[in-house]
Amino acid sequence: MKTNSTTANLTTMQWLLRREVWEHKGMVLWAPAVVALIIVALVLGGLLMGHNLTMTMDGQAVHLKDHLVEHMLQPGAKQEFAKAASELYVAIGVPLYLELGVLVFFYCLGALYDDRRDRSLLFWKSLPVSDHMTVLSKVAVALLVTPVITMLAATALSLAVLLLVCTAAAFQGVQLFTTLLGTGEFYLAPLRMLGLLPVYMLWALPTVGWLLLVSSWARSKVFLWAVGVPLGAGVLVTWTSKIFALDWNIGWFMQHIVARLLTGVAPGSWFMYMRPASLHGEEGRMGAGELLVDSWTTLSSPVVWAGVVAGIAMIAGAVWMRRWRDET
């Protein structure tokens, strides 16, 4: 019986996830694809325009194309380009990762509120689907489905840009494909970026929990409630500390409470609490390998686990509110 119950729950969760992706396919699927296509178009346009660009060196006008070709023909230049593949994976995908934070933030804001606003909540409650399964499906979309799709889109974008760069170099007589394909980092970088997913899920959990909690009880102005309450609490704590000369650590409150509630869904937000070791010193570099190691190192901080506990508690609160909250 337990096996049948588990299978039924997995089937229900799969159905709920499909429903969420179908209802929000513009956010989950099309938004990353559109941004990636725009970046590819910009890179392609830049390569075409760069063919005729000139730069001044030693008082003489030199074609940028000729200067780059001359540089790439120098000994070791191709190997350096191949080694920089992991850094290119990180840099090229940055716009998509920034977009991910915005998408997850607004998805969570409307995840439970929209069902109450359009009265479809009554329909969903009539189905044999529990409230906790419904809320967990939305958590899964925010913390798993959307980040995975964004990471896959960022990887495809990085590969497309590298392909364009290598193709443009090949037309100028510089062969980069062989060197790039013979570098292990070219294949490991996407896997390392995907390895950041558990770190992102843990650090984003309190923000997702807070937004879902607000989405489950706010009758209107969800954004103002979600953002205004933490910021208002920060102002109130600051004002109280100043008026009564309490010497409270306002910076700690703003960073560990306000920022944790509002910025956790932004990839890389964990570096607000621990500076990347790979960036220490003047020659610090941030490739996919260094980013993975530094990100996992942040899990040794109690800050992340306190946020996980708070996030789980707020998600439980969202489940309870969805069970009893209505708009009548």
Side-chain angles (χ1 to χ4, degrees), residues 61-113:
V62 179
H63 276 86
L64 179 60
K65 174 201 67 176
D66 297 334
H67 176 71
L68 292 176
V69 170
E70 181 181 355
H71 174 74
M72 293 305 299
L73 290 176
Q74 294 179 0
K78 295 181 181 179
Q79 288 71 21
E80 285 296 323
F81 173 80
K83 290 180 180 179
S86 64
E87 297 176 41
L88 290 175
Y89 269 105
V90 177
I92 296 172
V94 164
L96 287 179
Y97 295 125
L98 293 177
E99 179 193 46
L100 171 62
V102 176
L103 293 178
V104 172
F105 187 95
F106 285 99
Y107 166 76
C108 292
L109 270 184
L112 299 175
Y113 170 74

Side-chain angles (χ1 to χ4, degrees), residues 7 14 34 38 106 114 126 139 149 207 236 263 298 313 317 321:
T7 303
Q14 184 181 20
V34 169
I38 291 175
F106 285 99
D114 290 342
S126 67
V139 173
I149 292 176
T207 302
L236 181 62
T263 64
T298 63
M321 288 297 300

Side-chain angles (χ1 to χ4, degrees), residues 139-301:
V139 173
V141 170
L143 294 181
L144 182 62
V145 177
T146 305
V148 167
I149 292 176
T150 299
M151 288 180 176
L152 293 177
T155 299
L157 169 63
S158 300
L159 291 175
V161 171
L162 290 174
L163 176 63
L164 289 175
V165 172
C166 292
T167 302
F171 276 107
Q172 304 303 323
V174 180
Q175 181 55 256
L176 296 177
F177 282 108
T178 304
T179 306
L180 187 63
L181 294 176
T183 305
E185 194 62 34
F186 177 76
Y187 306 99
L188 292 176
L191 299 178
R192 287 171 174 167
M193 294 302 295
L194 190 61
L196 292 173
L197 182 61
V199 181
Y200 175 79
M201 293 173 67
L202 291 173
W203 279 99
L205 191 59
T207 302
V208 170
W210 166 248
L211 296 176
L212 288 176
L213 181 62
V214 174
S215 183
S216 67
W217 62 262
R219 293 185 182 277
S220 62
K221 310 295 189 297
V222 187
F223 179 82
L224 293 180
W225 279 110
V227 177
V229 170
L231 292 180
V235 172
L236 181 62
V237 169
T238 303
W239 180 82
T240 304
S241 177
K242 295 291 185 181
I243 294 297
F244 298 98
L246 298 177
D247 195 27
W248 286 346
N249 190 342
I250 306 301
W252 182 95
F253 183 86
M254 297 299 294
Q255 183 181 25
H256 291 83
I257 303 299
V258 178
R260 291 288 280 129
L261 290 178
L262 298 180
T263 64
V265 292
S269 62
W270 43 89
F271 290 134
M272 294 171 56
Y273 306 89
M274 186 178 296
R275 189 170 187 263
S278 57
L279 295 184
H280 290 172
E282 296 180 357
E283 298 182 356
R285 304 176 72 177
M286 178 65 82
E290 294 84 1
L291 182 62
L292 178 64
V293 173
D294 291 340
S295 297
W296 276 91
T297 301
T298 63
L299 298 186
S300 62
S301 172

